Amino acid sequence: MIVLIFVGLILLAHYYLWHRLVRSTTAPGRLRKALTWGVVALMLLVVATFVGTRADFGTWLAWPGYLWLALLFYLFVFLAVLEIPRAVAAVLLRRAERRRAPVPEPVAVLAGTPVPDDVAAGLPDVTPDPVEPPAGLSRRLFLGRATAAVAGVGAAATVGYGVSSALGDPVIEPVRVTLPKLDPRLSGLRFAVVSDIHLGPLTGPSHTERIVRMINGLEADVVAIVGDLVDGSVARLGPLARPLKDLESRYGAYFVTGNHEYFSPGGYIEWLDELGELGVRPLRNERVEIAHQGAVLDLAGVNDLGGASQGDGPDFAKALGGRTSGRSTVLLAHQPVQVTEAARHGVDLQLSGHTHGGQIVPFNLVVGLQQPVVSGLATVDGVQVYTTRGAGFWGPPVRVGAPPEITILELRS
């Protein structure tokens, strides 16, 4: 059902673009036919890209396919926004055409003879037209080409900016979180939080190396990788993950699964084993004690909701049951929406990712309908939740309004 909905949306989006960028800008003939087949080819490219990258083959399609998907999205947005000014311009052009309509032959009159009102009404209007297409160009083609030009320039500029943001250095976000129950001896404990690295067909080892270098420069006490590390199998992406073995922190690096780990063609288990070999400990519905300056913090992790279909879903009771009373607990959970269950178990702070901060505006508005926190720090059901925008990207290598992020989060009592 989800696949059918996706294909349907892609079909509708391409039809709308064909209507505005091809039909409205060309006359019937060879050019229109050629452009029509071009739109069909681009639509098939998007579908093939999703199928190929998910199945771990045809990854060479990723760059052209995902870049076109980003352009498709922003062309749709710009064209939709331009519908109203386009309609207004069409009305003005119709009025201008009426003014240029044939008028009755002039009537010769003697000087000083009053001109009847009905004759005066037929005299040509010399008021200049507010909008007028160039000579030889119809109103439809003039409006269509002007709209297409504005939308094309706007979409290309937006995607160009988004690519530079997505492929650039993540922003270091410093955050201080006060936990009322935190032992004062734990005050100042620092977490490097990173999520949604999304190693895949559009990233290379340098992507991981840069993230590791930036995390190590923060000199954190704990490194928390909050899911969606990979988009593919260990066989294909293992070399891209290898720099994680160089992560540095006082008390170790920890990982919880995201929904994309369960999409891996080789299965999620192989990635859990691989991370263990790299020195990153997966927390699979379990917790560890972080001993710092004579005090102890409970660090727990639960599996992502996406694991439920594979018998590996979150188990909050297992991860959080039987804790020492009065001890503060930090929970790693990929999706912010998991805070509802975390609140029932007395968690003090949840660290999440998943949302990408929306990744490309205006998707941040859509994400907010499904997740309680799109980015940043908020309190939900009495639990503080920090949602990182993630250090990578999914799908198009584009970020607009949501730059990649690595968080250095400091606990305060």
Side-chain angles (χ1 to χ4, degrees), residues 181 183 287 296 298 320-329 346 348:
K181 295 193 306 181
D183 189 310
R287 69 177 180 274
V296 177
D298 281 327
L320 299 167
R323 304 197 312 278
T324 301
S325 61
R327 185 183 291 175
S328 292
T329 303
D348 300 280

Side-chain angles (χ1 to χ4, degrees), residues 24-104:
S24 297
T25 62
T26 60
R30 291 182 179 179
L31 178 59
R32 178 181 289 185
K33 288 181 180 179
L35 292 174
T36 298
W37 282 111
V39 172
V40 172
L42 289 170
M43 180 184 67
L44 295 176
L45 172 64
V46 171
V47 175
T49 298
F50 273 88
V51 174
T53 54
R54 180 63 60 87
D56 228 10
F57 71 86
T59 54
W60 60 273
L61 293 170
W63 274 107
Y66 282 130
L67 281 176
W68 167 244
L69 183 63
L71 280 169
L72 169 71
F73 174 73
Y74 277 111
L75 280 169
F76 184 92
V77 169
F78 275 95
L79 287 169
V81 170
L82 289 170
E83 286 292 347
I84 292 178
R86 184 180 185 280
V88 172
V91 171
L92 295 175
L93 282 172
R94 280 196 295 270
R95 290 180 178 177
E97 287 178 353
R98 291 194 192 101
R99 292 193 186 99
R100 291 194 300 270
V103 297

Side-chain angles (χ1 to χ4, degrees), residues 135-152:
L137 192 64
S138 71
R139 171 168 50 88
R140 181 185 70 83
L141 289 178
F142 172 68
L143 281 178
R145 292 176 184 179
T147 303
V150 173

Side-chain angles (χ1 to χ4, degrees), residues 1 18 24 34 39 53 98 119 212 225 229 239 274 327 379 408:
M1 178 60 71
W18 172 84
S24 297
V39 172
T53 54
R98 291 194 192 101
V119 174
V212 169
I225 304 174
L229 173 65
E274 181 74 6
R327 185 183 291 175
T379 300
I408 182 67

